[in-house]
């Protein structure tokens, strides 16, 4: 089971690009990498998912190097409303591990 | 994505009692999951619930304490039995929409406080 490691917290300012990296050294061949955003008193919200290289959608980009032992969530031009906890999840064959999450604090 | 609802959204219960949490999804899904999230902590998987079979529990969780039902492809319940204050947590259900990528979508959660 791939354990994930993320920074506990990060600070940023409005308008900046934020990159949050997750380490998953024991990722298996069939595992996908998924990132979630969670606000207080809400369930996690799906942001983006990838297997390798780069994935981009309307809210974020996900960079995964060739060895897949880490991944980086990139949030372009954050706003105050992006203040939340971000989780990296590695999952495969219905085995999941949620890391401790990264609390992102966006300042004005 | 999917629309997932949970009932109740929150409850305050007395120790020794039981609470059943419902999870409803707007489409048919094979896999549903139940998680616990203690205050300020990450999510911990309690069990996986497939329709038509017994739930599969993770280490540290047992059926007597957390019985689960999965009567059809859009609904599941989790019961927290014989509650103690240590059971105070947020309980979340999730569904898997794409089994090839293990993509999960989460419900809003049920905040349980045990006095």
């Amino acid at each position: 089971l791939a354990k994930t490691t993320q920074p506990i917290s990060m600070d940023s300012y409005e308008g900046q690009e934020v990159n949050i990296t997750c380490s998953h050294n024991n990722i298996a061949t069939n595992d996908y990498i998924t990132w979630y955003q969670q606000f207080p008193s809400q369930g996690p919200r799906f942001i983006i998912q990838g297997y390798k290289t780069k994935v981009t959608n309307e809210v974020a980009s996900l960079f995964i190097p060739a060895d897949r032992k880490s991944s980086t969530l990139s949030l372009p031009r954050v706003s105050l409303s992006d203040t939340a906890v971000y989780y990296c999840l590695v999952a495969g064959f219905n085995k999941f591990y949620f890391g401790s999450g990264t609390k992102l604090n966006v300042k004005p | 994505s999917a629309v997932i609802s949970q009932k109740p959204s929150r409850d305050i219960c007395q120790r020794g009692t039981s609470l059943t949490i419902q999870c409803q999804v707007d489409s048919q899904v094979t896999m549903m999951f139940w998680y616990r999230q203690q205050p300020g902590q990450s999510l911990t998987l309690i069990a996986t619930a497939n329709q038509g079979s017994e739930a599969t529990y993770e280490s540290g969780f047992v059926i007597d304490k957390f019985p689960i039902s999965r009567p059809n492809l859009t609904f599941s319940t989790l019961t927290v039995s014989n509650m103690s204050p240590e059971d105070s947590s947020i309980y979340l259900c999730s569904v898997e929409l794409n089994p090839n990528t293990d993509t999960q979508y989460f419900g809003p959660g049920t905040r349980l406080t045990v006095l």
Side-chain angles (χ1 to χ4, degrees):
Chain A
L1 188 61
K3 183 175 180 178
T4 62
T5 304
Q6 304 174 230
I8 293 176
S9 65
M10 295 181 68
D11 288 334
S12 181
Y13 290 92
E14 283 191 290
Q16 289 187 331
E17 178 185 78
V18 171
N19 296 309
I20 306 174
T21 297
C22 178
S23 297
H24 28 80
N25 292 321
N26 295 325
I27 191 168
T29 302
N30 295 297
D31 290 344
Y32 278 75
I33 300 153
T34 311
W35 284 81
Y36 293 87
Q37 176 192 56
Q38 187 178 32
F39 298 111
S41 300
Q42 295 186 23
R45 182 178 76 96
F46 174 92
I47 301 174
I48 197 167
Q49 182 183 64
Y51 183 80
K52 61 180 179 180
T53 64
K54 178 183 176 181
V55 180
T56 298
N57 62 22
E58 62 276 9
V59 299
S61 294
L62 178 60
F63 299 91
I64 305 170
D67 65 5
R68 304 201 326 122
K69 294 183 182 297
S70 66
S71 58
T72 299
L73 174 71
S74 181
L75 304 172
R77 299 181 60 79
V78 294
S79 64
L80 295 176
S81 63
D82 293 317
T83 294
V85 178
Y86 292 82
Y87 291 99
C88 157
L89 170 67
V90 174
F93 294 126
N94 296 319
K95 293 295 182 184
F96 316 108
Y97 184 87
F98 269 94
S100 58
T102 298
K103 182 173 174 54
L104 173 65
N105 183 29
V106 180
K107 304 175 183 178
Chain B
S1 63
V3 177
I4 305 164
S5 60
Q6 288 185 232
K7 290 182 181 179
S9 58
R10 58 177 62 223
D11 207 341
I12 301 173
C13 301
Q14 297 297 319
R15 68 173 66 211
T17 63
S18 298
L19 176 72
T20 295
I21 302 168
Q22 300 178 5
C23 179
Q24 179 81 49
V25 59
D26 68 343
S27 58
Q28 294 184 339
V29 295
T30 302
M31 305 287 284
M32 296 181 77
F33 308 91
W34 286 98
Y35 287 83
R36 182 174 72 183
Q37 186 173 31
Q38 296 179 307
Q41 302 296 312
S42 183
L43 288 81
T44 302
L45 181 64
I46 297 172
T48 301
N50 289 345
Q51 195 270 335
S53 63
E54 295 279 334
T56 302
Y57 289 83
E58 297 298 306
S59 175
F61 298 97
V62 295
I63 187 171
D64 290 346
K65 176 68 175 177
F66 298 101
I68 288 171
S69 77
R70 183 77 201 276
N72 58 53
L73 292 173
T74 63
F75 188 78
S76 179
T77 67
L78 170 76
T79 299
V80 186
S81 304
N82 188 24
M83 288 184 285
S84 67
E86 292 71 33
D87 294 319
S88 297
S89 284
I90 296 174
Y91 291 86
L92 297 138
C93 72
S94 72
V95 303
E96 181 182 77
L97 294 187
N98 185 342
N100 293 323
T101 60
D102 292 297
T103 309
Q104 293 183 57
Y105 292 88
F106 285 82
T110 295
R111 181 180 292 275
L112 171 62
T113 301
V114 184
L115 303 178

